[in-house]
Short mmCIF file of all heavy atoms in Angstrom, two decimals:
data_model
loop_
_atom_site.label_atom_id
_atom_site.label_comp_id
_atom_site.label_asym_id
_atom_site.label_seq_id
_atom_site.Cartn_x
_atom_site.Cartn_y
_atom_site.Cartn_z
N ASP A 1330 -121.48 -27.42 -115.80
CA ASP A 1330 -122.67 -27.53 -114.96
C ASP A 1330 -122.58 -28.77 -114.07
O ASP A 1330 -122.93 -28.72 -112.88
CB ASP A 1330 -123.91 -27.61 -115.85
CG ASP A 1330 -125.18 -27.88 -115.08
OD1 ASP A 1330 -125.72 -26.93 -114.48
OD2 ASP A 1330 -125.64 -29.03 -115.07
N LEU A 1331 -122.09 -29.88 -114.62
CA LEU A 1331 -121.99 -31.13 -113.86
C LEU A 1331 -121.05 -30.96 -112.67
O LEU A 1331 -121.33 -31.47 -111.58
CB LEU A 1331 -121.50 -32.25 -114.77
CG LEU A 1331 -121.45 -33.65 -114.17
CD1 LEU A 1331 -122.85 -34.09 -113.73
CD2 LEU A 1331 -120.88 -34.65 -115.16
N GLU A 1332 -119.96 -30.25 -112.87
CA GLU A 1332 -119.03 -30.01 -111.77
C GLU A 1332 -119.69 -29.20 -110.66
O GLU A 1332 -119.44 -29.42 -109.47
CB GLU A 1332 -117.79 -29.27 -112.30
CG GLU A 1332 -116.93 -30.14 -113.20
CD GLU A 1332 -115.77 -29.37 -113.81
OE1 GLU A 1332 -115.61 -28.17 -113.47
OE2 GLU A 1332 -115.03 -29.94 -114.62
N ARG A 1333 -120.57 -28.27 -111.04
CA ARG A 1333 -121.26 -27.45 -110.04
C ARG A 1333 -122.29 -28.27 -109.27
O ARG A 1333 -122.38 -28.17 -108.04
CB ARG A 1333 -121.94 -26.25 -110.70
CG ARG A 1333 -121.00 -25.10 -111.02
CD ARG A 1333 -121.76 -23.85 -111.37
NE ARG A 1333 -122.45 -23.96 -112.64
CZ ARG A 1333 -121.93 -23.64 -113.82
NH1 ARG A 1333 -120.69 -23.18 -113.88
NH2 ARG A 1333 -122.62 -23.76 -114.94
N ILE A 1334 -123.09 -29.09 -109.96
CA ILE A 1334 -124.15 -29.80 -109.25
C ILE A 1334 -123.60 -30.91 -108.35
O ILE A 1334 -124.29 -31.36 -107.44
CB ILE A 1334 -125.21 -30.39 -110.21
CG1 ILE A 1334 -124.63 -31.55 -111.03
CG2 ILE A 1334 -125.79 -29.32 -111.12
CD1 ILE A 1334 -125.70 -32.31 -111.80
N LEU A 1335 -122.37 -31.35 -108.61
CA LEU A 1335 -121.76 -32.37 -107.77
C LEU A 1335 -120.98 -31.79 -106.60
O LEU A 1335 -120.50 -32.52 -105.74
CB LEU A 1335 -120.83 -33.26 -108.61
CG LEU A 1335 -121.51 -34.13 -109.68
CD1 LEU A 1335 -120.49 -34.89 -110.48
CD2 LEU A 1335 -122.53 -35.07 -109.04
N SER A 1336 -120.86 -30.45 -106.57
CA SER A 1336 -120.19 -29.80 -105.45
C SER A 1336 -121.11 -29.79 -104.23
O SER A 1336 -122.31 -30.12 -104.33
CB SER A 1336 -119.83 -28.35 -105.82
OG SER A 1336 -121.01 -27.57 -105.99
N GLU A 1337 -120.58 -29.43 -103.07
CA GLU A 1337 -121.39 -29.39 -101.85
C GLU A 1337 -122.54 -28.41 -102.02
O GLU A 1337 -123.67 -28.69 -101.60
CB GLU A 1337 -120.52 -28.98 -100.66
CG GLU A 1337 -119.53 -30.05 -100.23
CD GLU A 1337 -118.77 -29.68 -98.97
OE1 GLU A 1337 -119.15 -28.67 -98.34
OE2 GLU A 1337 -117.81 -30.38 -98.61
N GLU A 1338 -122.26 -27.26 -102.61
CA GLU A 1338 -123.32 -26.26 -102.82
C GLU A 1338 -124.36 -26.80 -103.80
O GLU A 1338 -125.56 -26.61 -103.61
CB GLU A 1338 -122.73 -24.96 -103.35
CG GLU A 1338 -123.77 -23.87 -103.54
CD GLU A 1338 -123.19 -22.57 -104.04
OE1 GLU A 1338 -122.12 -22.61 -104.69
OE2 GLU A 1338 -123.79 -21.50 -103.79
N GLY A 1339 -123.89 -27.47 -104.85
CA GLY A 1339 -124.82 -28.01 -105.83
C GLY A 1339 -125.75 -29.05 -105.24
O GLY A 1339 -126.95 -29.09 -105.53
N ILE A 1340 -125.23 -29.92 -104.39
CA ILE A 1340 -126.05 -30.94 -103.73
C ILE A 1340 -127.08 -30.27 -102.83
O ILE A 1340 -128.25 -30.67 -102.79
CB ILE A 1340 -125.16 -31.89 -102.92
CG1 ILE A 1340 -124.26 -32.70 -103.86
CG2 ILE A 1340 -126.00 -32.83 -102.05
CD1 ILE A 1340 -123.20 -33.53 -103.15
N LEU A 1341 -126.66 -29.23 -102.11
CA LEU A 1341 -127.57 -28.50 -101.23
C LEU A 1341 -128.70 -27.86 -102.03
O LEU A 1341 -129.88 -27.96 -101.66
CB LEU A 1341 -126.80 -27.42 -100.47
CG LEU A 1341 -127.62 -26.51 -99.56
CD1 LEU A 1341 -128.20 -27.29 -98.39
CD2 LEU A 1341 -126.78 -25.33 -99.06
N LEU A 1342 -128.36 -27.19 -103.14
CA LEU A 1342 -129.37 -26.50 -103.95
C LEU A 1342 -130.32 -27.48 -104.62
O LEU A 1342 -131.53 -27.25 -104.65
CB LEU A 1342 -128.68 -25.63 -105.01
CG LEU A 1342 -127.84 -24.46 -104.49
CD1 LEU A 1342 -127.21 -23.70 -105.65
CD2 LEU A 1342 -128.67 -23.52 -103.63
N ARG A 1343 -129.80 -28.58 -105.13
CA ARG A 1343 -130.67 -29.55 -105.81
C ARG A 1343 -131.62 -30.23 -104.82
O ARG A 1343 -132.78 -30.50 -105.14
CB ARG A 1343 -129.84 -30.58 -106.55
CG ARG A 1343 -129.18 -30.04 -107.81
CD ARG A 1343 -128.56 -31.12 -108.66
NE ARG A 1343 -127.48 -31.80 -107.97
CZ ARG A 1343 -127.44 -33.11 -107.75
NH1 ARG A 1343 -128.45 -33.88 -108.13
NH2 ARG A 1343 -126.42 -33.66 -107.14
N MET A 1344 -131.13 -30.52 -103.62
CA MET A 1344 -131.99 -31.13 -102.61
C MET A 1344 -133.13 -30.19 -102.25
O MET A 1344 -134.30 -30.61 -102.14
CB MET A 1344 -131.18 -31.48 -101.37
CG MET A 1344 -131.99 -32.21 -100.29
SD MET A 1344 -131.20 -32.21 -98.67
CE MET A 1344 -131.49 -30.52 -98.16
N ASN A 1345 -132.82 -28.92 -102.09
CA ASN A 1345 -133.84 -27.96 -101.72
C ASN A 1345 -134.78 -27.63 -102.87
O ASN A 1345 -135.95 -27.32 -102.64
CB ASN A 1345 -133.18 -26.68 -101.19
CG ASN A 1345 -132.78 -26.80 -99.73
OD1 ASN A 1345 -133.57 -26.55 -98.83
ND2 ASN A 1345 -131.54 -27.22 -99.49
N ARG A 1346 -134.30 -27.72 -104.10
CA ARG A 1346 -135.21 -27.55 -105.24
C ARG A 1346 -136.29 -28.62 -105.21
O ARG A 1346 -137.47 -28.36 -105.41
CB ARG A 1346 -134.44 -27.64 -106.57
CG ARG A 1346 -135.32 -27.32 -107.79
CD ARG A 1346 -134.96 -28.14 -109.01
NE ARG A 1346 -135.31 -29.54 -108.85
CZ ARG A 1346 -136.53 -30.03 -109.08
NH1 ARG A 1346 -137.52 -29.23 -109.47
NH2 ARG A 1346 -136.77 -31.31 -108.92
N SER A 1347 -135.86 -29.85 -104.93
CA SER A 1347 -136.80 -30.95 -104.87
C SER A 1347 -137.83 -30.74 -103.76
O SER A 1347 -139.03 -30.94 -103.95
CB SER A 1347 -136.05 -32.26 -104.65
OG SER A 1347 -136.94 -33.35 -104.56
N ILE A 1348 -137.34 -30.31 -102.60
CA ILE A 1348 -138.25 -30.08 -101.46
C ILE A 1348 -139.23 -28.95 -101.76
O ILE A 1348 -140.43 -29.08 -101.54
CB ILE A 1348 -137.44 -29.75 -100.19
CG1 ILE A 1348 -136.63 -30.97 -99.73
CG2 ILE A 1348 -138.36 -29.29 -99.06
CD1 ILE A 1348 -135.67 -30.67 -98.60
N GLN A 1349 -138.71 -27.84 -102.27
CA GLN A 1349 -139.53 -26.66 -102.46
C GLN A 1349 -140.49 -26.77 -103.65
O GLN A 1349 -141.68 -26.47 -103.53
CB GLN A 1349 -138.63 -25.43 -102.62
CG GLN A 1349 -137.83 -25.10 -101.37
CD GLN A 1349 -136.86 -23.95 -101.58
OE1 GLN A 1349 -137.02 -23.16 -102.50
NE2 GLN A 1349 -135.86 -23.86 -100.73
N ALA A 1350 -139.96 -27.21 -104.79
CA ALA A 1350 -140.80 -27.25 -105.98
C ALA A 1350 -141.76 -28.44 -105.96
O ALA A 1350 -142.98 -28.27 -106.12
CB ALA A 1350 -139.91 -27.32 -107.23
N GLU A 1351 -141.23 -29.63 -105.76
CA GLU A 1351 -142.09 -30.81 -105.77
C GLU A 1351 -142.99 -30.85 -104.54
O GLU A 1351 -144.14 -31.29 -104.61
CB GLU A 1351 -141.23 -32.08 -105.84
CG GLU A 1351 -140.23 -32.12 -106.97
CD GLU A 1351 -140.87 -32.02 -108.34
OE1 GLU A 1351 -142.06 -32.38 -108.47
OE2 GLU A 1351 -140.19 -31.56 -109.28
N GLY A 1352 -142.48 -30.36 -103.41
CA GLY A 1352 -143.29 -30.36 -102.19
C GLY A 1352 -144.51 -29.49 -102.30
O GLY A 1352 -145.58 -29.82 -101.79
N SER A 1353 -144.38 -28.35 -103.00
CA SER A 1353 -145.53 -27.44 -103.16
C SER A 1353 -146.65 -28.09 -103.95
O SER A 1353 -147.83 -27.94 -103.61
CB SER A 1353 -145.07 -26.16 -103.87
OG SER A 1353 -144.14 -25.45 -103.07
N PHE A 1354 -146.29 -28.82 -105.00
CA PHE A 1354 -147.32 -29.52 -105.78
C PHE A 1354 -147.95 -30.63 -104.96
O PHE A 1354 -149.16 -30.89 -105.06
CB PHE A 1354 -146.71 -30.08 -107.07
CG PHE A 1354 -146.50 -29.05 -108.13
CD1 PHE A 1354 -145.28 -28.41 -108.25
CD2 PHE A 1354 -147.52 -28.69 -108.99
CE1 PHE A 1354 -145.07 -27.45 -109.23
CE2 PHE A 1354 -147.32 -27.73 -109.97
CZ PHE A 1354 -146.09 -27.10 -110.09
N GLY A 1355 -147.15 -31.28 -104.15
CA GLY A 1355 -147.69 -32.33 -103.28
C GLY A 1355 -148.66 -31.75 -102.27
O GLY A 1355 -149.71 -32.35 -101.98
N ASP A 1356 -148.34 -30.59 -101.70
CA ASP A 1356 -149.23 -29.94 -100.73
C ASP A 1356 -150.56 -29.59 -101.37
O ASP A 1356 -151.63 -29.82 -100.79
CB ASP A 1356 -148.57 -28.67 -100.18
CG ASP A 1356 -147.39 -28.97 -99.28
OD1 ASP A 1356 -147.31 -30.11 -98.80
OD2 ASP A 1356 -146.56 -28.07 -99.08
N LEU A 1357 -150.51 -29.03 -102.58
CA LEU A 1357 -151.74 -28.61 -103.26
C LEU A 1357 -152.61 -29.81 -103.62
O LEU A 1357 -153.83 -29.80 -103.40
CB LEU A 1357 -151.41 -27.82 -104.52
CG LEU A 1357 -150.83 -26.41 -104.34
CD1 LEU A 1357 -150.46 -25.82 -105.69
CD2 LEU A 1357 -151.84 -25.51 -103.64
N LYS A 1358 -152.00 -30.84 -104.15
CA LYS A 1358 -152.77 -31.97 -104.64
C LYS A 1358 -153.20 -32.92 -103.54
O LYS A 1358 -154.32 -33.46 -103.58
CB LYS A 1358 -151.97 -32.72 -105.71
CG LYS A 1358 -151.70 -31.89 -106.96
CD LYS A 1358 -150.80 -32.63 -107.94
CE LYS A 1358 -151.51 -33.81 -108.56
NZ LYS A 1358 -150.70 -34.46 -109.60
N GLN A 1359 -152.35 -33.15 -102.55
CA GLN A 1359 -152.66 -34.12 -101.51
C GLN A 1359 -153.30 -33.47 -100.28
O GLN A 1359 -154.42 -33.81 -99.89
CB GLN A 1359 -151.40 -34.87 -101.09
CG GLN A 1359 -151.63 -35.98 -100.09
CD GLN A 1359 -152.50 -37.11 -100.64
OE1 GLN A 1359 -152.42 -37.42 -101.83
NE2 GLN A 1359 -153.31 -37.72 -99.80
N ASP A 1360 -152.60 -32.51 -99.68
CA ASP A 1360 -153.08 -31.91 -98.44
C ASP A 1360 -154.30 -31.01 -98.66
O ASP A 1360 -155.24 -31.03 -97.86
CB ASP A 1360 -151.97 -31.09 -97.77
CG ASP A 1360 -150.80 -31.98 -97.34
OD1 ASP A 1360 -150.99 -33.21 -97.31
OD2 ASP A 1360 -149.72 -31.44 -97.05
N MET A 1361 -154.26 -30.22 -99.75
CA MET A 1361 -155.37 -29.30 -100.02
C MET A 1361 -156.42 -29.92 -100.94
O MET A 1361 -157.42 -29.29 -101.27
CB MET A 1361 -154.84 -28.00 -100.61
CG MET A 1361 -153.88 -27.26 -99.67
SD MET A 1361 -153.10 -25.80 -100.41
CE MET A 1361 -154.53 -24.73 -100.62
N GLN A 1362 -156.14 -31.15 -101.40
CA GLN A 1362 -157.09 -31.90 -102.23
C GLN A 1362 -157.48 -31.15 -103.51
O GLN A 1362 -158.63 -31.21 -103.97
CB GLN A 1362 -158.35 -32.25 -101.42
CG GLN A 1362 -158.10 -33.22 -100.28
CD GLN A 1362 -157.64 -34.59 -100.78
OE1 GLN A 1362 -158.32 -35.24 -101.55
NE2 GLN A 1362 -156.45 -35.01 -100.33
N PHE A 1363 -156.52 -30.41 -104.07
CA PHE A 1363 -156.82 -29.68 -105.32
C PHE A 1363 -156.64 -30.61 -106.50
O PHE A 1363 -155.56 -31.12 -106.75
CB PHE A 1363 -155.89 -28.47 -105.45
CG PHE A 1363 -156.11 -27.70 -106.72
CD1 PHE A 1363 -157.23 -26.90 -106.87
CD2 PHE A 1363 -155.21 -27.78 -107.77
CE1 PHE A 1363 -157.45 -26.18 -108.04
CE2 PHE A 1363 -155.42 -27.07 -108.94
CZ PHE A 1363 -156.54 -26.28 -109.08
N ARG A 1364 -157.73 -30.83 -107.24
CA ARG A 1364 -157.70 -31.76 -108.37
C ARG A 1364 -158.01 -31.07 -109.71
O ARG A 1364 -157.55 -31.49 -110.75
CB ARG A 1364 -158.70 -32.90 -108.15
CG ARG A 1364 -158.31 -33.85 -107.01
CD ARG A 1364 -157.06 -34.65 -107.39
NE ARG A 1364 -156.71 -35.65 -106.37
CZ ARG A 1364 -155.91 -35.42 -105.35
NH1 ARG A 1364 -155.38 -34.20 -105.21
NH2 ARG A 1364 -155.63 -36.35 -104.46
N ARG A 1365 -158.80 -30.02 -109.68
CA ARG A 1365 -159.16 -29.35 -110.92
C ARG A 1365 -159.63 -27.93 -110.64
O ARG A 1365 -160.06 -27.62 -109.53
CB ARG A 1365 -160.28 -30.12 -111.65
CG ARG A 1365 -161.52 -30.32 -110.82
CD ARG A 1365 -162.60 -31.07 -111.60
NE ARG A 1365 -163.07 -30.29 -112.72
CZ ARG A 1365 -164.03 -30.69 -113.56
NH1 ARG A 1365 -164.58 -31.89 -113.39
NH2 ARG A 1365 -164.42 -29.93 -114.55
N TYR A 1366 -159.52 -27.07 -111.65
CA TYR A 1366 -160.01 -25.70 -111.51
C TYR A 1366 -161.53 -25.71 -111.60
O TYR A 1366 -162.12 -26.45 -112.39
CB TYR A 1366 -159.43 -24.81 -112.61
CG TYR A 1366 -157.96 -24.51 -112.42
CD1 TYR A 1366 -156.99 -25.28 -113.05
CD2 TYR A 1366 -157.55 -23.45 -111.61
CE1 TYR A 1366 -155.64 -25.01 -112.88
CE2 TYR A 1366 -156.20 -23.17 -111.44
CZ TYR A 1366 -155.26 -23.95 -112.07
OH TYR A 1366 -153.93 -23.68 -111.89
N ILE A 1367 -162.15 -24.86 -110.79
CA ILE A 1367 -163.61 -24.81 -110.79
C ILE A 1367 -164.13 -23.68 -111.67
O ILE A 1367 -165.34 -23.52 -111.84
CB ILE A 1367 -164.15 -24.62 -109.35
CG1 ILE A 1367 -163.62 -23.31 -108.74
CG2 ILE A 1367 -163.77 -25.80 -108.48
CD1 ILE A 1367 -164.20 -23.00 -107.37
N SER A 1368 -163.22 -22.88 -112.24
CA SER A 1368 -163.62 -21.76 -113.09
C SER A 1368 -163.13 -21.96 -114.52
O SER A 1368 -162.30 -22.84 -114.78
CB SER A 1368 -163.06 -20.45 -112.53
OG SER A 1368 -161.66 -20.53 -112.39
N LYS A 1369 -163.61 -21.14 -115.42
CA LYS A 1369 -163.22 -21.19 -116.82
C LYS A 1369 -162.70 -19.82 -117.25
O LYS A 1369 -163.06 -18.80 -116.67
CB LYS A 1369 -164.40 -21.60 -117.70
CG LYS A 1369 -164.91 -23.02 -117.46
CD LYS A 1369 -166.03 -23.36 -118.42
CE LYS A 1369 -166.53 -24.79 -118.21
NZ LYS A 1369 -167.64 -25.13 -119.13
N GLY A 1370 -161.86 -19.82 -118.26
CA GLY A 1370 -161.32 -18.56 -118.76
C GLY A 1370 -159.95 -18.27 -118.16
O GLY A 1370 -159.70 -18.58 -116.99
N THR A 1371 -159.08 -17.67 -118.95
CA THR A 1371 -157.70 -17.42 -118.52
C THR A 1371 -157.64 -16.57 -117.26
O THR A 1371 -156.91 -16.89 -116.31
CB THR A 1371 -156.92 -16.73 -119.65
OG1 THR A 1371 -156.95 -17.54 -120.82
CG2 THR A 1371 -155.46 -16.51 -119.23
#
C-alpha cells in the first residue's frame, strides 16, 4: 500500500480525497453554517 500511495497516481488520489472529503464537511459547517440537526429520530 505504501508503494502505491507514494506513486504519482497515489499522490493524485490522496490529494483529491482530502479536497473532496474534507472540503465537503468544511462547506457544510462553514459556508452553510450547519451546526446541529433540527429534527429527532433516525
